[in-house]
Amino acid sequence: MSGLFDVTGNNPQGELGNGAIFEESEDFNTWDLLDAVEYFDEMRDHLNDRTRYRPPLMRDQLLELHQLAMDAYPDGNKETLAKLYDRAENLESIAFDLMMQAEKIHIILEKLTRTEPENLRGY
């Protein structure tokens, strides 16, 4: 469903004094922004996984992975290498989840910015 919205939120008819109108398109509607919030909340599961004022657990896991890599290369034993690659795969999975959610948010925001009227650019 297509609708008109005032860019400033002042006029429910969507008309501004200078003629700028925000019109939903088939590619974008305002509900998409609520989906973006949901995708961001999914990212927060990985990024806010500790108590207040503590960095995400993934940060510490990356530092531990670095230490494992230092221990494993160049002459690490098979057990250390196996542990390194196992942890790397787990972190890669988390990074992939974060990337996918960020990409979904990016697509939604890109659709929104494509609807910007010419007369608002540089305003």
Side-chain angles (χ1 to χ4, degrees):
M1 176 180 225
S2 182
L4 298 178
F5 296 92
D6 178 354
V7 177
T8 64
N10 294 330
N11 184 338
Q13 298 301 316
E15 297 179 20
L16 295 175
N18 63 3
I21 296 175
F22 171 60
E23 186 171 345
E24 289 182 311
S25 70
E26 289 187 26
D27 287 338
F28 174 82
N29 71 63
T30 55
W31 286 100
D32 293 340
L33 293 171
L34 295 177
D35 290 338
V37 171
E38 183 178 325
Y39 301 141
F40 187 79
D41 285 344
E42 290 176 25
M43 293 172 65
R44 289 177 59 204
D45 288 343
H46 295 296
L47 301 175
N48 289 340
D49 57 0
R50 297 181 105 179
T51 59
R52 196 171 178 165
Y53 306 117
R54 302 272 327 266
L57 183 60
M58 188 176 181
R59 181 184 186 280
D60 291 343
Q61 291 170 332
L62 287 166
L63 290 170
E64 290 170 6
L65 188 66
H66 173 262
Q67 185 58 54
L68 268 175
M70 297 291 289
D71 295 343
Y73 290 104
D75 300 319
N77 63 38
K78 194 173 187 176
E79 182 179 309
T80 303
L81 285 169
K83 189 187 274 188
L84 171 71
Y85 290 111
D86 183 56
R87 290 191 183 172
E89 287 174 7
N90 289 337
L91 288 171
E92 189 274 337
S93 177
I94 293 169
F96 183 78
D97 286 346
L98 291 168
M99 182 181 69
M100 294 304 296
Q101 300 311 321
E103 178 65 18
K104 290 174 186 176
I105 293 168
H106 175 260
I107 289 169
I108 290 169
L109 294 174
E110 185 179 49
K111 287 178 183 179
L112 171 58
T113 58
R114 283 196 309 250
T115 67
E116 181 181 13
E118 284 289 325
N119 60 350
L120 283 182
R121 295 193 179 148
Y123 181 71

